[in-house]
Amino acid sequence: MHINRRTLIASAATTAGFMATSLPLHAMAQSAPSNVINVALFPEPTTITVGWGQTGPSQLVGGNINEGLLRYDDKLQPMPCLATAWTVSKDQMVYTFTLKKGVTWHDGKPFDAQDAVFSIDKFTRSLNPRVRVAMQSVESVKALDSHTVEIRMKEVFAPFIGLFDSSTIPMAPRHLYENTDLSGKPPSTGPIIGTGPYKYKEWVRGSYIHLVRNEKYHEAGIPKIDNVYFHVIPDAASRAAAFESGKIDVLPGGTVEYFDVARLAKLPGVAVSSKGWEKFAPMAWLWINHRNPLFQDVRMRQAIELAVDRDALSKVVWQGYAPAATGPFPSQVPFYSKAVVQPKRDKAKAAKLLQELGYKGQTIRLLGLPFGETWNRSAELVRQNLLEAGFKVELVATDLAGSVSKQSNWDFDLAFTYMFQYGDPALGISRNYVSSEIKKGSPFNNVGGYQSAKADALFFRGSREADPQKRAEAYAEVQKTLIDDVAAVWLLELNFPTVYRSKITNLINSGIGLNDSIARASIR
């Protein structure tokens, strides 16, 4: 098995030909200067333009270019970034941010409070479903002076201070976007501008994205690395081979197959870390398209839920790195309830439900995720589970752009997804189930079309309640409601181990890890 695996890796690398044809050789050579870090990237993002780039690969690159007012540590406590200080009134109704002075955008324009007001009140409110939900509680966002921003609330939104990292409310250059149509597609041309530690240099589609050190960065002493290359390598075996040969320095979580992690970790000079995902707490599930008449009867949704073998997904496909989910809240997120658990697999009961419903073998389109072999195997296993229970299933394969499009336009029956949870149910979970977030055109909200007045009210209560005990009661009840309704089929709590050269220090230093930026990393 070991010999076959090594042979496969070598063969895949040769077949892909990426080393010889698509990568900048000066960056990929083993003798590359120590001021270069090469990072694997997959799949290739459709955009890294701030605001529009909300997929994992987009954030991985974009977090180096654009920043938020705050950063968060691994306990999700806020740290300064573009804001040097912040206060919250005792009644949680007024938030005041003091912005750092002397910060400039990459094009030389000054960053000020008007940029922050635009970014919070208009830009991300328009583009980000999670922000849109939170902003329903905001009365006003205004600049008190050129470096002070005040946000007044209409009502308490308990986790509000957790919104201000680069992955949620990145600062966007007002001078570029103030008069543009934010409801349209991301700009296909034009500058990619931020205040971050790295500046956009070049994007060779299908090959690499090159970022260079921002020499005017506002924090002294960083970034420590001059050049960062994100290499698009579609084949998982080729990514592993590139790392083994020394041509890639960092395999971010999710870019290497799980069956390869333990093997790569044994190589000399290699480190593995599961840190840097504390705020995201990524979770995988199956969307159920509630618009499909076939799924109107809850018993049909229950049959799907009972057919899926989550334990096999966890142990076999994900090599034990991703525990089986017990319900809609991952265990890392506050207010997770151990008392509310979705049923385990019962193939016979699923088949009996189909018989009761008079299921006539209508084809169910199962949309996979184009994130590599582990996801392909996951889709194959779920498909096999459903077939064994009596469903007729068509597995739909697509690339990232196709997957985003199909989910955004509700063109599926069942669809794999994984989403970040952002440290609080009100920030990362509610948008997936509340009826106000059924909005065609985005894959980052309630694309399943689940509607429940009870769930809406409970999510609302949980987000507006300042008392943690009362929040816990509301969220325990909403977990039970979602499970009773089979709003979705929750699969796995994902852990994304990052594999990297141990000569790289301080690579992961916040609660969103590499997505925050690698500006504080250095090479010994």
Side-chain angles (χ1 to χ4, degrees):
M1 181 67 184
H2 180 64
I3 294 174
N4 289 341
R5 179 68 191 151
R6 292 179 66 86
T7 303
L8 173 62
I9 290 169
S11 174
T14 303
T15 302
F18 68 88
M19 297 180 194
T21 62
S22 63
L23 298 178
L25 295 179
H26 67 278
M28 293 295 286
Q30 291 193 50
S31 59
S34 62
N35 64 354
V36 176
I37 288 184
N38 293 288
V39 184
L41 181 68
F42 182 77
E44 185 170 24
T46 54
T47 178
I48 56 171
T49 303
V50 62
W52 286 274
Q54 296 180 35
T55 64
S58 296
Q59 290 188 13
L60 180 66
V61 180
N64 293 277
I65 299 171
N66 294 94
E67 300 177 295
L69 296 182
L70 303 174
R71 302 172 65 234
Y72 298 87
D73 66 17
D74 60 0
K75 301 294 189 296
L76 309 190
Q77 296 302 303
M79 302 185 290
C81 189
L82 289 173
T84 57
W86 54 96
T87 61
V88 183
S89 65
K90 287 185 179 179
D91 60 2
Q92 300 185 44
M93 295 296 282
V94 182
Y95 293 75
T96 307
F97 294 89
T98 302
L99 307 187
K100 181 179 274 190
K101 295 180 179 177
V103 177
T104 58
W105 296 99
H106 294 159
D107 60 2
K109 304 283 187 185
F111 165 77
D112 62 19
Q114 292 297 343
D115 285 309
V117 170
F118 168 75
S119 300
I120 298 167
D121 201 26
K122 185 174 182 181
F123 188 77
T124 50
R125 186 203 285 263
S126 299
L127 292 172
N128 190 322
R130 290 182 290 109
V131 175
R132 192 160 52 234
V133 170
M135 292 300 289
Q136 292 171 6
S137 300
V138 171
E139 178 178 284
S140 65
V141 184
K142 63 182 181 181
L144 300 184
D145 58 41
S146 61
H147 288 85
T148 307
V149 175
E150 178 194 83
I151 302 174
R152 287 190 172 271
M153 311 295 288
K154 289 186 291 191
E155 57 194 349
V156 169
F157 187 80
F160 194 70
I161 197 62
L163 283 170
F164 295 94
D165 62 279
S166 63
S167 69
T168 300
I169 304 184
M171 293 297 103
R174 183 172 66 101
H175 60 281
L176 289 183
Y177 298 124
E178 186 171 33
N179 297 313
T180 61
D181 178 11
L182 298 177
S183 65
K185 293 182 178 179
S188 58
T189 60
I192 298 173
I193 296 296
T195 61
Y198 287 97
K199 298 189 293 185
Y200 170 82
K201 176 67 174 178
E202 183 182 26
W203 186 346
V204 178
R205 294 279 178 176
S207 185
Y208 64 88
I209 300 171
H210 180 196
L211 307 183
V212 297
R213 183 174 183 266
N214 176 10
E215 295 180 347
K216 296 181 179 179
Y217 188 56
H218 55 81
E219 187 171 337
I222 64 172
K224 299 179 183 299
I225 305 297
D226 288 344
N227 294 276
V228 181
Y229 288 86
F230 292 90
H231 299 279
V232 180
I233 305 175
D235 178 74
S238 297
R239 290 192 290 275
F243 184 82
E244 285 190 87
S245 66
K247 295 179 171 59
I248 286 289
D249 304 306
V250 180
L251 292 167
T255 59
V256 64
E257 301 298 349
Y258 284 80
F259 47 76
D260 267 339
V261 172
R263 182 179 63 81
L264 294 174
K266 295 176 182 175
L267 297 175
V270 172
V272 178
S273 175
S274 295
K275 297 286 291 180
W277 296 95
E278 293 82 4
K279 193 167 193 287
F280 290 152
M283 185 174 180
W285 66 86
L286 281 180
W287 290 118
I288 296 174
N289 192 338
H290 290 257
R291 305 166 191 85
N292 186 335
L294 191 63
F295 300 142
Q296 299 295 306
D297 192 315
V298 70
R299 292 174 295 173
M300 180 60 81
R301 304 196 297 274
Q302 289 169 340
I304 295 167
E305 178 184 56
L306 291 165
V308 176
D309 191 344
R310 294 185 296 277
D311 288 335
L313 272 176
S314 172
K315 295 174 183 174
V316 178
V317 180
W318 290 76
Q319 301 284 304
Y321 281 100
T326 60
F329 285 28
S331 58
Q332 306 98 316
V333 171
F335 311 117
Y336 163 78
S337 175
K338 294 180 180 177
V340 185
V341 178
Q342 65 179 334
K344 283 188 173 289
R345 188 190 193 206
D346 189 332
K347 187 171 61 176
K349 190 172 180 180
K352 185 178 179 183
L353 283 173
L354 290 187
Q355 190 174 22
E356 288 176 9
L357 289 162
Y359 173 63
K360 294 182 173 56
Q362 297 94 324
T363 298
I364 293 173
R365 296 169 301 155
L366 172 62
L367 181 64
L369 275 179
F371 291 164
E373 184 60 28
T374 299
W375 288 100
N376 294 339
R377 293 183 185 196
S378 298
E380 286 290 351
L381 179 62
V382 168
R383 174 179 172 274
Q384 187 61 37
N385 290 162
L386 292 171
L387 289 173
E388 290 172 358
F391 289 97
K392 182 179 179 182
V393 183
E394 174 191 356
L395 187 56
V396 179
T398 181
D399 59 12
L400 181 58
S403 177
V404 169
S405 175
K406 285 183 177 295
Q407 291 200 25
S408 300
N409 293 291
W410 312 336
D411 183 15
F412 63 90
D413 298 320
L414 301 175
F416 277 83
T417 191
Y418 84 85
M419 303 276 269
F420 297 159
Q421 310 304 313
Y422 293 94
D424 191 281
L427 300 182
I429 297 177
S430 65
R431 44 109 181 221
N432 301 313
Y433 307 107
V434 296
S435 55
S436 61
E437 284 306 311
I438 301 175
K439 297 179 186 295
K440 207 168 190 177
S442 169
F444 306 113
N445 49 10
N446 184 359
V447 302
Y450 168 71
Q451 296 187 63
S452 162
K454 183 179 180 181
D456 288 351
L458 288 166
F459 272 121
F460 184 86
R461 203 172 98 204
S463 66
R464 270 65 174 182
E465 177 58 62
D467 183 335
Q469 180 57 41
K470 291 180 179 176
R471 292 193 76 197
E473 292 169 3
Y475 285 130
E477 192 173 351
V478 82
Q479 288 171 77
K480 182 177 186 309
T481 300
L482 295 175
I483 288 175
D484 288 347
D485 291 347
V486 197
V489 178
W490 300 280
L491 300 176
L492 300 165
E493 296 184 13
L494 304 180
N495 286 308
F496 285 141
T498 298
V499 183
Y500 62 101
R501 308 279 168 219
S502 54
K503 66 181 181 181
I504 303 175
T505 62
N506 202 26
L507 179 66
I508 298 169
N509 49 66
S510 83
I512 63 171
L514 298 183
N515 292 275
D516 180 59
S517 91
I518 58 175
R520 292 160 182 81
S522 60
I523 300 174
R524 288 184 292 206

